[in-house]
């Protein structure tokens, strides 16, 4: 969609791709690109200093800037930008926040979607703003938007998965309620907002795992329809893997998971809720643990 056009929102994920590449290969492409991109952003005027509004696009050959990208593109740009320029993104968000939130809760975004059926921006506005509010760490706005979604978007469970079915009717109802929702918002963006307790992508890209974390014991083989993992972390000092599991949306009499990357030269004990689990045998650095899951259980796999 970008021949002869630049979308400042769309150029955010490629920067994150460069960061990932640098972390994996020891290069410095992102370090070279990020300050230049930010300088160009300010020079070209990709956002309004007073309102915070992020531009929609820029025609390259004409050097013509199309302002007012709206909530959809503003949320898109702000969410990803926070991962590499957090202070800058927060300053923009502080100017956009109240206007965008009122626009959503009043239902005016639904009116825009109905008036411009071919434009994706208004339809993804809710999801993109919810994602941005969560990533920035605005828990008040995040909760208001998640509650709005659960009240108006008719969420369903299907095969153990929670989502919001597509609805193309964006006509605002009483008290600003809009029931229209696109598949991107219903399947991805609201889930990102719900999982993100603030700075989720910032931490992912600025606090990457190294060899120490990647070589630690970990769990796999979890059936996410029967089992929720509320914590799983390795304490290097105590040489202990701590895992807490809870029942998922589909009931199961028994659940299993595999602990991998254990030291074959060492012996391990497994505790469930503080009591040792007997009879488990490690093979090739792997240990299979099974349990009922009528309630939450915490497992500790510790090296002797």
């Amino acid at each position: 969609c970008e021949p002869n056009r630049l979308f400042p929102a769309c150029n955010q994920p490629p920067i994150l791709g460069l960061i990932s590449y640098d972390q994996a290969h020891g290069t410095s492409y992102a370090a070279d690109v990020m300050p230049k991109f930010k300088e160009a952003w300010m020079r070209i005027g990709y956002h309004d200093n007073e309102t915070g509004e992020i531009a929609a696009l820029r025609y390259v050959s004409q050097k013509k800037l199309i302002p007012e990208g709206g909530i959809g593109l503003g949320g898109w740009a702000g969410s990803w930008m926070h991962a590499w320029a957090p202070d800058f993104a927060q300053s923009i968000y502080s100017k956009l926040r109240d206007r965008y939130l009122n626009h959503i809760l009043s239902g005016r975004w639904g009116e825009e979607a109905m008036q411009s059926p071919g434009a994706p921006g208004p339809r993804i506005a809710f999801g993109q703003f919810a994602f941005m509010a969560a990533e920035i760490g605005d828990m008040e706005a995040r909760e208001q938007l998640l509650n709005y979604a659960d009240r108006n978007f008719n969420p369903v469970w299907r095969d153990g998965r929670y989502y919001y079915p597509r609805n193309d009717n964006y006509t605002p109802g009483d008290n600003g309620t809009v029931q229209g929702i696109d598949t991107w918002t219903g399947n991805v963006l609201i889930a990102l907002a719900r999982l993100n307790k603030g700075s989720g992508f910032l931490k992912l890209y600025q606090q990457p795992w190294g060899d120490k974390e990647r070589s630690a014991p970990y769990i796999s083989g979890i059936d996410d329809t029967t089992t929720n993992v509320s914590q799983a972390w390795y304490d290097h000092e105590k040489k202990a893997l701590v895992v807490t599991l809870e029942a998922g949306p589909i009931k199961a009499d028994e659940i299993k998971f595999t602990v991998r990357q254990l030291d074959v030269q060492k012996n391990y004990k497994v505790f469930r809720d503080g009591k040792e689990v007997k009879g488990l045998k490690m093979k090739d650095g792997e240990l299979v643990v099974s349990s009922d899951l009528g309630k939450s259980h915490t497992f500790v796999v510790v090296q002797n």
Side-chain angles (χ1 to χ4, degrees), residues 102-161:
N102 291 334
H103 197 77
I104 290 288
L105 298 181
S106 68
R108 291 196 299 273
W109 69 287
E111 295 176 4
E112 290 185 355
M114 294 298 292
Q115 293 168 2
S116 306
R123 291 175 181 258
I124 64 174
F126 183 96
Q128 295 289 8
F129 180 54
F131 176 29
M132 177 167 64
E135 173 62 24
I136 293 291
D138 185 350
M139 295 299 101
E140 180 184 5
R142 170 182 173 270
E143 290 306 309
Q144 289 186 63
L145 294 166
L146 291 177
N147 290 336
Y148 185 104
D150 286 339
R151 288 196 309 269
N152 299 310
F153 295 157
N154 301 308
V156 299
W157 283 101
R158 181 178 179 183
D159 298 329
R161 291 167 174 82

Side-chain angles (χ1 to χ4, degrees), residues 247-262:
I250 294 180
K251 186 177 180 179
D253 294 330
E254 183 184 63
I255 61 96
K256 290 184 179 181
F257 63 93
T258 301
V259 183
R260 302 184 186 276
Q261 291 192 164
L262 297 173

